[in-house]
Amino acid sequence: MGKSLKKPNRGVTATPANSLKAAGESWQIQSAKARFSEVFRRARTEGPQRITRQGKEGVVMVAEEQYDRLVGKSHQPKNLVQFFRQSPLVGVDLDLERDHTPERDTDLT
């Protein structure tokens, strides 16, 4: 028969279509270490790259811009005043009155 056109699997596996959209490819840790520059480039150009150890535990390498979006860094207020102005509680009427009763019954036992 003729030569197979299928590329050899070098520790890189495509993820199933129904998996997390953020994970473009899955790399075994040994391959990711050996081909770190490629994993890095793909994370920047193609999207997040999943790295697994023995097919189980893993991490995902993402571009810095995507990481900032995920953790909300780019949306963080610059100061405390902005923080309170952007609060979802803006306009909510809170009762902040304190009970000024001179003494309260307290059980210390």
Side-chain angles (χ1 to χ4, degrees), residues 13-63:
T13 57
T15 56
N18 63 351
S19 68
L20 181 65
K21 183 181 178 186
E25 289 206 53
S26 182
W27 299 76
Q28 294 173 8
I29 193 167
Q30 301 87 349
S31 297
K33 282 198 264 186
R35 297 167 62 189
F36 182 79
S37 292
E38 182 180 355
V39 178
F40 181 91
R41 181 187 58 76
R42 286 186 180 198
R44 300 274 316 144
T45 60
E46 298 175 17
Q49 303 293 303
R50 184 181 306 272
I51 303 168
T52 62
R53 181 184 301 169
Q54 299 176 344
K56 296 178 184 172
E57 57 193 31
V59 297
V60 178
M61 181 185 285
V62 297

Side-chain angles (χ1 to χ4, degrees), residues 74-109:
S74 60
H75 296 101
Q76 289 182 348
K78 302 217 183 299
N79 59 45
L80 191 60
V81 173
Q82 263 189 329
F83 172 79
F84 284 114
R85 284 185 179 153
Q86 294 174 2
S87 168
L89 298 176
V90 168
V92 173
D93 186 27
L94 299 176
D95 179 14
L96 301 176
E97 284 297 315
R98 222 182 123 166
D99 181 11
H100 294 288
T101 308
E103 60 185 60
R104 296 179 226 166
D105 291 333
T106 307
D107 184 16
L108 300 176
T109 59

